[in-house]
Amino acid sequence: MVARLAGGYAAVLRALNEIKKRDPLFVPYSLLDFGSGLGTGTWAAHRLWGDSLKEYVCVDSSGDMNTLAEQLLLEGSERNNPTIKQVYFRQFLPVSPKVQFDLVVAAFSLSELATLDERLNVISTLWRKTNSYLVLVENGTKEGHQILMEARDAILKREDEILHDPRRPSIFAPCTHELKCPKLIRQPVVPCNFFQFYYSLPLSRSQERQQERFSYLIVSRSDGEKAQKAEHWDMARVIAQVHRRPRHVQCQLCCVNGELKQLAVTARRHGKDMYRCARNSDWGDLLPVFHKEDEHTINDETE
C-alpha cells in the first residue's frame, strides 16, 4: 500500500481522464474493476464522475487485499460510513455473459497472469462485460506495452462478439489508428509509455514529487457511426518529451497512418494556431497535424 497506492492511482486517474476530456457526455452508471487491489480504479473513477456512479464491483482473487481495500473506504474503522458507497468486493468475475458495465478497468493486473492464454481469456471476458469503455493500464515497460498490444490485437480480431454485443471495438486512446504499433516494428523496441507526477503517501518527512511511468489502452464500443473527419488535419499523439526551442517546437508523433514522425513546428511554416498548440502540448497529448506540413518519418532511430 505504501509503495504502490499513490503511483497506481495517479496512472489510472490519468488514463480515465482521457475519457473525461474527450467524451464529456459520457456519464457511467456502473464500474467493474478487475484485479482491483487497493481499489485505485474505484477511487479514480469516483474522483472524475462522483455520484453518477451507482455501482462499483471490485474483483480481486486475494481476500486479504479486498479486506484492506474495504478498510480504506471505511477510513480504518467499521463504525464509519464508507467514503464511496455501493462498492462490492468479489474474488471472481460475474458469471453471466449478459452482465455489462459502463466502465471496465484492469490496472496492473494482466501482467500478473502467468500465460498468454490466461491473459487472452481474461481480456475476452472483460470485453464482453464492457458496455462503453474498457481501460487497461500496465507498467511502462517493454513487457507492459507488449501485453497491451496483445490485448489490442485480440479485441480487434474477435469475430464472435456479435453474439453478445454487435457493436465493434474502436481504439479510443492512446493510439490514433488501428494498424500495427509502429514502436513494435522498429528495432530496438522502445515501449509506448507516458508519465504522471504524484506525491507519495504522507508517511515520512520526505514529500518529493515522484513520477509514475505507465502504458495504457482504452477501447470503446462503436455504434457504427463515424465521427466527421476534418478535411485538412488529423489528430496525432505526442509520444515523447516536447522540446520547446526558440521559434520552433520539436515533437515526436504517432500519426493516423501508423507512422512515427519527428516534426519541427514553426509559426511560419505551420501557422500560429498549430504552433501555439504544439508549444502548449505535453507528452501524451493529442496534437492536430495538417496534411500540407513537411514531416519527417522516423526510420530506425532511437528516441
Side-chain angles (χ1 to χ4, degrees):
M1 181 181 74
V2 173
R4 292 299 305 141
L5 179 58
Y9 170 80
V12 176
L13 184 66
R14 169 72 178 272
L16 292 179
N17 194 49
E18 184 77 14
I19 302 174
K20 180 76 171 181
K21 289 190 302 181
R22 292 174 52 200
D23 189 1
L25 297 180
F26 173 66
V27 181
Y29 178 88
S30 57
L31 166 74
L32 171 65
D33 187 359
F34 175 76
S36 53
L38 297 164
T40 51
T42 292
W43 287 95
H46 185 265
R47 167 75 179 273
L48 293 176
W49 289 287
D51 294 335
S52 68
L53 275 162
K54 304 299 182 184
E55 181 185 24
Y56 303 80
V57 177
C58 297
V59 178
D60 198 291
S61 59
S62 170
D64 291 335
M65 191 66 78
N66 287 335
T67 299
L68 179 55
E70 189 170 15
Q71 289 177 349
L72 288 172
L73 289 173
L74 293 170
E75 299 181 6
S77 175
E78 294 183 358
R79 298 177 182 177
N80 296 329
N81 292 321
T83 303
I84 304 174
K85 298 178 175 58
Q86 308 299 327
V87 180
Y88 306 97
F89 294 94
R90 296 184 178 184
Q91 290 183 268
F92 304 98
L93 284 165
V95 176
S96 173
K98 296 181 180 179
V99 176
Q100 286 189 321
F101 299 82
D102 294 330
L103 186 62
V104 177
V105 177
F108 309 104
S109 53
L110 294 178
S111 55
E112 295 181 356
L113 302 176
T115 67
L116 175 60
D117 286 341
E118 285 185 79
R119 291 196 295 270
L120 294 181
N121 286 335
V122 167
I123 290 164
S124 175
T125 301
L126 294 179
W127 179 242
R128 282 200 302 270
K129 296 192 176 302
T130 300
N131 183 46
S132 295
Y133 288 100
L134 171 63
V135 181
L136 307 176
V137 181
E138 289 293 338
N139 293 314
T141 60
K142 291 181 182 179
E143 179 188 21
H145 178 222
Q146 179 66 49
I147 288 172
L148 294 180
M149 292 302 96
E150 291 171 356
R152 179 182 183 268
D153 292 343
I155 293 172
L156 290 177
K157 291 176 182 177
R158 289 194 64 84
E159 300 292 341
D160 58 344
E161 272 314 311
I162 193 169
L163 298 175
H164 304 283
D165 193 324
R167 295 173 296 169
R168 71 172 300 275
S170 177
I171 303 302
F172 184 80
C175 314
T176 56
H177 56 83
E178 296 182 0
L179 304 170
K180 180 78 173 178
C181 175
K183 285 211 163 192
L184 292 181
I185 299 173
R186 294 172 57 202
Q187 295 295 330
V189 174
V190 177
C192 182
N193 54 27
F194 307 91
F195 70 90
Q196 180 63 41
F197 289 113
Y198 71 96
Y199 291 93
S200 58
L201 297 180
L203 301 177
S204 65
R205 294 182 179 179
S206 176
Q207 279 295 288
E208 295 182 359
R209 190 172 70 162
Q210 301 187 49
Q211 178 177 291
E212 178 74 11
R213 194 172 290 259
F214 66 98
S215 297
Y216 76 103
L217 175 70
I218 303 177
V219 188
S220 65
R221 289 278 188 188
S222 171
D223 59 6
E225 295 182 5
K226 295 291 185 180
Q228 188 173 1
K229 184 177 178 181
E231 184 178 354
H232 299 296
W233 55 271
D234 291 314
M235 298 302 291
R237 181 74 61 179
V238 181
I239 57 171
Q241 191 70 48
V242 175
H243 299 287
R244 299 169 181 86
R245 309 299 189 201
R247 294 188 293 277
H248 78 276
V249 183
Q250 288 282 353
C251 299
Q252 186 170 319
L253 307 171
C254 184
C255 302
V256 295
N257 60 359
E259 293 182 352
L260 301 181
K261 296 188 182 297
Q262 189 77 35
L263 185 63
V265 181
T266 66
R268 180 178 180 181
R269 181 183 300 175
H270 304 97
K272 292 183 179 179
D273 290 339
M274 184 173 172
Y275 176 71
R276 190 178 297 112
C277 283
R279 201 155 193 90
N280 287 281
S281 293
D282 289 311
W283 189 345
D285 289 343
L286 287 172
L287 180 69
V289 177
F290 289 83
H291 300 314
K292 64 182 180 179
E293 67 197 28
D294 181 20
E295 299 171 340
H296 171 60
T297 302
I298 302 172
N299 293 316
D300 298 325
E301 299 174 359
T302 57
E303 304 315 271

